[in-house]
Amino acid sequence: MLKFALVGCGRIAKRHSELLGLKQIEGAELAAVCDIDLPKAQKIGEQFSVPCFADMHEMMQSVDVDVVVVLTESGNHAKHVVQLAKYRKHIVVEKPMALTLDDADAMIQACDAAGVKLFVVKQNRFNVPVVKLREALEQGRFGKISLGTVRVRWCRPQSYYDQAPWRGTWAMDGGVLANQASHHIDMLEWMLGDVDSVFAKSATALANIEAEDTAVVVLKFRSGALGIIEATTAVRPTDLEGSISILGEGGSVEIAGFAVNKMKVWSFVDTEVGDDEVMEKYSVNPPNVYGFGHQAYYEHVVDAIRGGKQHLVDGLQGRRSLELINAIYESVESGREVFLRFRPKFCRLGEAS
């Protein structure tokens, strides 16, 4: 049984603590929780009868754990992962893994030096219809791909940003691109491969925050395919969709729903046995925008630790999508097309205000 400890007991901790605390992951259990705001940790600790702490070092020295899950503010991920790596326990970190490429490199180096695995949470890769889409790509069913699109049309009212002072800031969070859409950006790059260049525009349309709540991005992939990212938290009154579509010479697939959960289009030039069942079999109705992917993700983490298998989203994979997000912000600030691989000059993500 792998023992997991949570560092950070904010909004997303509810999902992680329920999966681990209710023993919904075979081979995993919740062992301890920590937050500098002790009442937050106490609430989760009491709910699942595990010890709670206000100091993560005290927790690591007091409780026997196998894996630490870092759920703190995005801008603190790197600091906490580097500090925790010295305890030589495997580390799971929520998205985005960091805000700057230097921080991501420091995290990877610290975990490598300690001989521990670094997992970056990208649960949408494990959504049932997304797994089926990836399977079709690996089988070459699309042939030459022409266009890939992701859309994040969610509602985050001002009250959401006002819940915590770090939200929407350049130093600790970024906007919709770095936070809410980071899963979808990762998913598009995972499907279509290396990005050659990006050109982006953003706006702070409805929220009173430093960073953007709305953005559009045009991508050119090394394969020659084009891509579009549409991301906003300025939908009103409720969440509208989180989706991906892939179009190629051999067929078209669109996964819709508000959490990339509903197979909307599955159409190929050359049909195969089972295609007529895909629409029904590969759609799920999740309870919230987090979807069901976290459970499959944690099962993957357990398998990777126990079996020594290569994990799907390690530090290098997490850095890859972070570099793309940094390039998008670089384009927004410079007003120019930005070519990968690059070092940021104008990107404000991770900067103190």
Side-chain angles (χ1 to χ4, degrees), residues 185 189 195 198 219 320-328 340:
I185 293 170
E189 188 176 27
V195 175
V198 299
L219 307 92
R320 185 171 178 242
S321 60
L322 178 63
E323 183 179 22
L324 177 53
I325 290 170
N326 271 252
I328 292 169
L340 288 280

Side-chain angles (χ1 to χ4, degrees), residues 6-21 30 33-35 40-41 44 47-48 69-72 94 167 290 294 298:
L6 305 186
V7 175
C9 294
R11 186 172 186 258
I12 191 62
K14 183 178 187 296
R15 181 70 177 137
H16 289 265
S17 62
E18 287 175 349
L19 285 171
L20 296 166
L30 186 63
V33 294
C34 171
D35 196 292
K40 289 184 178 179
I44 295 178
Q47 182 181 359
F48 299 108
V69 185
V70 177
L71 306 175
T72 53
E94 256 292 355
R167 288 183 178 165
Y290 300 136
H294 277 103
Y298 265 113

Side-chain angles (χ1 to χ4, degrees), residues 286-306:
N288 51 51
V289 293
Y290 300 136
F292 288 119
H294 277 103
Q295 180 164 352
Y297 180 82
Y298 265 113
E299 290 168 352
H300 173 72
V301 169
V302 172
D303 286 344
I305 292 173
R306 281 181 158 178

